[in-house]
Amino acid sequence: MLPNKKSNTTDETYSLADLIDLNAVQRMADSLYKATGLPIGLIDAFDGSVLVGAGWQDICVLFHRVNPETLKRCKESDSFIKANLSENSSSHYKCLNGLWDIGLPIIVSNQHLATLFLGQFFYEGEIPDQQFFINQASQYSFNQKAYLDALDRVPIFTRDKVQTILEYDTALARFIADLAEKSLLQKQGEAERMTLKNRLQQAQKMDTIG
């Protein structure tokens, strides 16, 4: 079970954005998307903010996450993945809009700080019939041509290909977590040293007054 709040040995709390260089991670995500074609994102586990994103598909960004009804399906996917995450394993979900998402947790000092998302793709042989999306366009007042054009751009992968990419991204999630862990320990050490320094100064001040 993953913890649901931030905590550490000091009074301060840290998000992943406090601990690592997100610009560097963004560059890695951009390169990874170019190499694999699989969209990738890094989402804060506490407020849901997007920390890093590459290759997100128009069918989701411009359509599914804009309409309130289809957005509910996207949020359901996000919630399912987050609720079913466990350390060193991935969570998979096919949303009701027809696309697959995968999540990997970023665990730092036993805290779930962020989720590495891979998604907005189809598995080969599991692409919903085009009529499904034509009906969606009609039901939710999407521009049918633009919607179907966006559908054509959604990447399609074999399960073996996704598994290979997932192995790399699992290693990437661990690398990010290890990097953040080292940064957290450094920040905690600095905070503890500052606390001791302040206590010493206060004690010296009291001695002087005495």
Side-chain angles (χ1 to χ4, degrees):
M1 188 79 176
L2 295 171
N4 58 11
K5 63 179 181 178
K6 303 183 217 178
S7 68
N8 50 50
T9 58
T10 72
D11 291 334
E12 286 210 57
T13 59
Y14 299 98
S15 68
L16 190 66
D18 298 321
L19 301 174
I20 63 173
D21 182 356
L22 291 179
N23 289 327
V25 179
Q26 179 66 64
R27 291 192 292 271
M28 295 172 68
D30 290 338
S31 297
L32 185 58
Y33 174 65
K34 288 179 181 178
T36 65
L38 184 62
I40 183 172
L42 189 60
I43 310 298
D44 187 277
F46 304 104
D47 62 16
S49 60
V50 178
L51 304 176
V52 165
W56 287 5
Q57 295 299 294
D58 288 343
I59 196 170
C60 294
V61 175
L62 301 181
F63 296 98
H64 293 161
R65 289 189 175 269
V66 173
N67 181 279
E69 293 303 314
T70 49
L71 176 60
K72 289 179 183 178
R73 298 176 178 181
C74 298
K75 290 184 175 180
E76 179 184 275
S77 176
D78 296 343
S79 297
F80 178 91
I81 286 175
K82 185 176 180 181
N84 288 275
L85 287 172
S86 59
E87 193 164 6
N88 297 320
S89 66
S90 55
S91 177
H92 303 235
Y93 187 78
K94 184 179 182 180
C95 77
L96 294 178
N97 292 320
L99 285 77
W100 278 93
D101 290 308
I102 302 173
L104 291 159
I106 307 295
I107 308 295
V108 180
S109 290
N110 297 318
Q111 304 299 312
H112 177 206
L113 294 191
T115 302
L116 186 67
F117 273 98
L118 315 171
Q120 303 174 352
F121 71 95
F122 295 125
Y123 279 117
E124 191 174 85
E126 289 190 7
I127 306 171
D129 187 273
Q130 189 178 61
Q131 189 61 46
F132 170 85
F133 292 95
I134 292 174
N135 292 341
Q136 290 241 110
S138 176
Q139 182 177 356
Y140 300 115
S141 300
F142 297 150
N143 180 294
Q144 181 173 307
K145 182 180 185 307
Y147 188 54
L148 294 180
D149 285 346
L151 171 65
D152 289 340
R153 294 192 292 273
V154 175
I156 303 169
F157 298 97
T158 65
R159 290 187 175 272
D160 287 344
K161 178 69 171 180
V162 171
Q163 183 58 38
T164 299
I165 297 171
L166 185 57
E167 289 172 4
Y168 178 90
D169 285 313
T170 300
L172 175 61
R174 290 173 184 162
F175 172 76
I176 292 172
D178 289 345
L179 198 63
E181 185 84 35
K182 292 177 182 178
S183 177
L184 176 61
L185 292 174
Q186 182 179 2
K187 286 180 179 293
Q188 289 176 338
E190 292 171 352
E192 289 169 359
R193 285 192 293 273
M194 184 60 66
T195 298
L196 290 174
K197 180 179 179 181
N198 291 338
R199 287 176 180 174
L200 178 60
Q201 290 175 339
Q202 184 66 21
Q204 292 173 336
K205 181 178 179 181
M206 295 302 294
D207 286 343
T208 300
I209 294 174

